[in-house]
Amino acid sequence: MYNMLPACLLLLLYLLVELNLCEAVLQRPQIFFSASYATYLTGEAVFLECQATTDFTIHGYKFFKNNQEVHRMEASSLNKYKIRAAKGNDAGSYTCLYWISDARGKQESEVSFPVSLSIIDQPSTPSLLVKPQQALYFEGEAVTLDCEHPSINSQITYYFYKDTNRLSSYFDTSKSKHHISSLSTKDSGTYDCEYLVLGHQRTIPSGKSTQLTITVTALSSSPLLKFQPSYTTFINGENLTMECEAPSPVYVTLYRFYKEGEELKGPSSHRGIYTLQNITKEDQAEYTCMYWSPKTNREIPSTQSPTKQLYVIDPLHPPLFFVDPPSGRIWDGGNVTLYCAAPEEYERTKFHFLKDKDEIITVPTYKKRPASVTINMRKSNGTSAIKYFCLYTAEIKGRSLLSPNSPQIEIIVVAKGSLLWLIAFGVGAGIAVLLVIIGLIYWILLAKKDSKKDTEESKPVHNKGGQIALFLRNTV
């Protein structure tokens, strides 16, 4: 009996080893989705795979949904379960196991850990809206593309397309709106949009929206802004009429005028005419104009006209006028020099010297200095008085302006036959002056003499019996 004990122990040990091997081999399998994500769209195919690691031959697999068997395969190579078109009721918790058959019979592995299948509907196709909606847009207008769809409680990314190419100018993909602040003709094309639902270990695209066409036209050619009168420099108080001239043969429905970018409104401005009455310094500015013409049921604006600068100045002041010699008396045959100076410096200045309203000479100058002219004066007999004055023409910003007249200066020309009379007159005047001087000296001396005499006669006389002093004055 003792001899049989080792054999029994060996048999028991063998059985325990065999049982442990079976348990080790039939370990729990792993179930997973072939696509590596667990959320599927309604109608998509779903593949579940049951993967086991064992040294034994697997004879079949079982798949369970919510602990209920849904599929059995009696083949070792058929370890996949396929749902051809997923529906909402296919969602749930899935597990699997496998079995083997040997001399001990059919043995099943433990059930795998579960995976959850989620079924969602295909995201609805968005609608692309353009605001404002126009059949035709013009350059510089702003539009907003809006990719609209029902609300979704998930993270969403948006994409906009132009002519099937994704818009590279759209950066914030979390927003359903794309704003184009200034359209150009390059923005003309066909647009659509889509959005992607993020999460669930995958990105789910929506369908693309219906395409919309945006047509952008260039602005009309710029008009020409004209001033009437045609110069750009005006004096305070003058009037100016502006005219906006569109290129022919454009049909124009509206004109507008602008001062430093602000629109000017007047009774005739919509017809292309704007008038400034009694111009002041406040009107000095840059002016432009535009026009509108019809096209495809829209009023298309032009580009702005070239800028025109309006200058406003005060009226010119009279010139300074003086002569040499300053007395204005010239001998017959002598020379007199006339000087004319402008009070301010201008781009170009012309000085005009006149005698009794007849111009005698014009002198141009380019610097702020007086213009001068020397005249030889002649008179046959007697004396003669001639009146001279000057004025100037100043060129300011392309406009020539004439100043007021200077004060007149009278030039007296003395003929040679009047020489003796002048000498006599001069001698007489000298004698008269000399007599006046002598008389003044005599009067001063006489006054000093009388003052000394009065002082001597006015000495005090003292009375011995009293304190009264009398002043005696000799009366002549």
Side-chain angles (χ1 to χ4, degrees), residues 211-238:
Q211 292 182 333
L212 290 179
T213 299
I214 293 179
T215 304
V216 184
T217 184
L219 299 179
S220 303
S221 301
S222 63
L224 183 63
L225 179 61
K226 293 183 176 181
F227 284 1
Q228 295 296 338
S230 59
Y231 37 77
T232 59
T233 302
F234 288 79
I235 299 174
N236 272 319
E238 290 185 324

Side-chain angles (χ1 to χ4, degrees), residues 417-431:
S418 302
L419 180 60
L420 295 177
W421 179 84
L422 287 174
I423 293 173
F425 177 80
V427 171
I431 293 173

Side-chain angles (χ1 to χ4, degrees), residues 43-62:
E44 283 187 322
V46 180
F47 291 90
L48 285 163
E49 186 172 342
C50 188
Q51 189 176 59
T53 304
T54 180
D55 294 331
F56 295 93
T57 300
I58 298 174
H59 289 81
Y61 294 88
K62 290 182 181 180

Side-chain angles (χ1 to χ4, degrees), residues 158-194:
Y158 296 89
Y159 292 107
F160 291 87
Y161 299 87
K162 173 181 175 288
D163 300 330
T164 71
N165 297 316
R166 186 181 295 179
L167 283 177
S168 59
S169 59
Y170 177 65
F171 302 109
D172 192 354
T173 57
S174 64
K175 294 184 178 180
S176 64
K177 296 182 180 180
H178 176 43
H179 184 69
I180 304 176
S181 59
S182 181
L183 287 169
S184 70
T185 53
K186 294 181 180 180
D187 293 316
S188 296
T190 302
Y191 291 78
D192 55 14
C193 73
E194 70 173 346

Side-chain angles (χ1 to χ4, degrees), residues 257-264 285-288 290 304 307:
F257 293 84
Y258 299 90
K259 173 188 175 184
E260 305 286 358
E262 293 188 11
E263 183 180 354
L264 299 172
E286 291 183 344
Y287 292 83
T288 57
M290 295 173 60
Q304 285 197 340
T307 301

Side-chain angles (χ1 to χ4, degrees), residues 319-323 338-340 351-361 373 375 386-392 402-411:
L320 303 176
F321 185 53
F322 50 97
V323 299
L338 310 178
Y339 294 92
C340 192
F351 293 92
H352 310 277
F353 294 88
L354 297 94
K355 179 183 72 174
D356 294 332
K357 298 182 181 181
D358 295 327
E359 183 170 346
I360 55 177
I361 193 171
V373 59
I375 304 173
I386 305 173
K387 292 182 179 180
Y388 289 87
F389 63 94
C390 75
L391 49 86
Y392 61 92
L402 192 64
S403 74
N405 296 343
S406 70
Q408 293 182 341
I409 294 180
E410 188 174 70
I411 304 297

